[in-house]
Amino acid sequence: MKVLVIGGGAREHALCRALSLDPDVTSLHCAPGNAGIAEVAEQHPVDVLDGEAVADLAARLAADLVVVGPEAPLVAGVADAVRARGIPCFGPSREAARLEGSKAFAKDVMAAAGVPTARSYVCTTREEIDRALDAFGAPYVVKDDGLAAGKGVVVTEDPATAREHALACDRVVIEEFLDGPEVSLFAITDGTTVLPLQPAQDFKRAYDADQGPNTGGMGAYSPLPWADAKLVDEVMSTVLQPTVDELRRRGTPFAGLLYAGLAITSRGVRVIEFNARFGDPETQVVLARLKTPLASVLLNAATGRLDEEPPLRWSDGAAVTVVIASHNYPATPRTGDPIEGLEAVPSNDPHTYVLHAGTKCDAEGRVVSAGGRVLSVTATGTDLAKARERAYAGVDLIHLDGSHHRRDIAKAAAEG
């Protein structure tokens, strides 16, 4: 199988790594990729938002499968353009990807499907914003309706901060605060059959003890030793399958990766948000534990044959990933700094490895930072404590001037 992955972050590096280990994959390509992905896939320049350019590349490579990683190309309709050429594509259509592209649309789908979620108001005027903030009170949850690369949500006790964020959005969703721990659950679907993956938990705040601004995610771990053993079954029956069924009923079937961000509240499971693609950094730990070869699962989802897929196989151990971020992230990050110590964490180590996010090679051939989240150091172990130990040992071997990372990823869960 010849596979083309679209994107250039740590999520795509995790996908490429998993696909490179699949004996069915004979040729692996990535566009545009990054300095780490270059070690496992042939890279190609492409505008990931240009559906015709991506489809042209897939056709030129005679790809058997295209996997679209990021959300922006999906919302832009890239998967539609690829499928129009008769090439199987893992990723939802433009219409189905509105589940992530518009939080208001997602709320409408959930209401129709009877999916439990937070009460909310969609606001476009200052008056509507003020009424919604007053209705719910603190803590205030304010979400930009559109894509915001994981940084469009503000949760604050300060009404002025909440109002400022709301007014900066063209359209905003203001909703009740959901108490309880958060869980990310991915499911692969062909629009009818839904195949859940293992749950993970990520860490959105920039600094230890959940301090600082929201980010795209500073680390993650899987499995969740504290979660109810029936959680996946419950989410399948109350969230994932009803959502997939509702989108199919509307004539916009969702085929790809459905990501449910969940709150385990005192009143039960509630959906915080949906994403239309693999999440970053949760993908890094979920795929680290997946034993089933990935390519055939994605191809069966892309071609409507997921019901033929046997149950997924998982390792009994745990996985932890820690994000190393650039100076000043998540504000305007500094880029172009050399990254030292990568060679100390061998890419072929089955237990600890580095997945590149914002990296590139400079004119001198050095790997330098090229984004806010630069690296995801990922490790596996017999339990979370061992996986944490290995992940942080890997982090400590790497030097990036001015960088920062959290030291408490999976700490509470490991200490149980």
Side-chain angles (χ1 to χ4, degrees):
M1 193 189 302
K2 184 178 290 187
V3 182
L4 169 63
V5 176
I6 302 300
R11 162 187 46 228
E12 288 76 36
H13 194 176
L15 286 164
C16 284
R17 183 181 186 275
L19 290 164
S20 73
L21 298 173
D22 187 332
D24 287 342
V25 176
T26 54
S27 179
L28 183 59
H29 302 262
C30 188
N34 62 38
I37 291 173
E39 296 182 10
V40 295
E42 183 179 344
Q43 300 191 125
H44 306 269
V46 76
D47 178 355
V48 299
L49 298 180
D50 185 336
E52 291 307 313
V54 172
D56 286 344
L57 174 61
R60 190 164 69 248
L61 294 173
D64 299 301
L65 174 66
V66 175
V67 179
V68 182
E71 60 272 25
L74 293 168
V75 172
V78 167
D80 304 81
V82 172
R83 278 193 282 268
R85 304 286 186 93
I87 301 169
C89 184
F90 182 80
S93 67
R94 182 202 304 264
E95 280 300 306
R98 290 179 65 205
L99 201 62
E100 176 168 6
S102 169
K103 292 178 178 62
F105 174 75
K107 288 289 188 182
D108 184 63
V109 170
M110 284 188 272
V115 170
T117 187
R119 293 180 298 119
S120 64
Y121 295 101
V122 179
C123 307
T124 56
T125 68
R126 181 184 294 269
E127 292 74 22
E128 289 173 344
I129 288 167
D130 287 341
R131 280 199 301 270
L133 292 174
D134 289 343
F136 288 129
Y140 303 98
V141 181
V142 184
K143 300 181 176 182
D144 190 331
D145 179 55
L147 295 180
K151 297 188 284 290
V153 179
V154 164
V155 181
T156 179
E157 297 280 347
D158 179 27
T161 301
R163 186 172 290 105
E164 180 185 17
H165 182 66
L167 290 171
C169 304
D170 291 332
R171 192 182 194 206
V172 67
V173 175
I174 296 174
E175 62 184 38
E176 67 175 327
F177 177 76
L178 297 175
D179 64 330
E182 295 184 12
V183 174
S184 299
L185 184 61
F186 302 163
I188 292 170
T189 177
D190 60 5
T192 301
T193 301
V194 181
L195 195 62
L197 305 187
Q198 289 285 299
Q201 185 175 61
D202 78 333
F203 294 74
K204 290 292 188 194
R205 299 286 186 169
Y207 309 121
D208 284 5
D210 290 331
Q211 299 298 302
N214 258 6
T215 71
M218 295 298 293
Y221 69 95
S222 180
L224 312 182
W226 49 267
D228 191 304
K230 297 177 181 176
L231 175 64
V232 174
D233 290 341
E234 179 185 350
V235 176
M236 265 291 290
S237 62
T238 63
V239 175
L240 298 171
Q241 192 70 57
T243 300
V244 169
D245 291 345
E246 172 61 20
L247 286 167
R248 188 177 67 254
R249 187 191 66 77
R250 293 177 178 221
T252 55
F254 188 106
L257 194 289
L258 179 57
Y259 165 149
L262 309 164
I264 313 301
T265 78
S266 55
R267 294 170 293 144
V269 174
R270 297 289 186 273
V271 174
I272 300 170
E273 65 176 355
F274 283 126
N275 291 332
R277 38 71 194 182
F278 280 101
D280 183 344
E282 299 97 321
T283 300
Q284 289 86 303
V285 292
V286 172
L287 292 186
R289 297 186 55 227
L290 180 65
K291 295 174 70 174
T292 300
L294 185 61
S296 67
V297 183
L298 302 186
L299 182 63
N300 282 338
T303 54
R305 303 197 311 269
L306 199 57
D307 59 338
E308 300 174 11
E309 188 66 37
L312 299 177
R313 294 180 293 112
W314 299 92
S315 73
D316 293 329
V320 171
T321 195
V322 180
V323 170
I324 298 176
S326 289
H327 173 74
N328 205 38
Y329 176 79
T332 305
R334 193 174 77 204
T335 59
D337 290 314
I339 303 168
E340 300 172 351
L342 289 171
E343 69 286 346
V345 189
S347 59
N348 60 353
D349 186 326
H351 297 302
T352 308
Y353 47 89
V354 180
L355 297 169
H356 291 230
T359 68
K360 67 177 183 179
C361 289
D362 67 6
E364 301 172 36
R366 301 178 304 173
V367 178
V368 300
S369 61
R373 292 186 295 171
V374 181
L375 303 167
S376 287
V377 181
T378 305
T380 58
T382 51
D383 55 26
L384 282 174
K386 188 62 179 178
R388 279 193 87 244
E389 177 188 326
R390 286 172 171 163
Y392 280 107
V395 168
D396 291 340
L397 293 171
I398 296 167
H399 177 72
L400 171 62
D401 187 53
S403 68
H404 64 96
H405 61 274
R406 287 182 58 157
R407 298 297 308 187
D408 62 347
I409 304 300
K411 185 174 188 292
E415 293 174 350

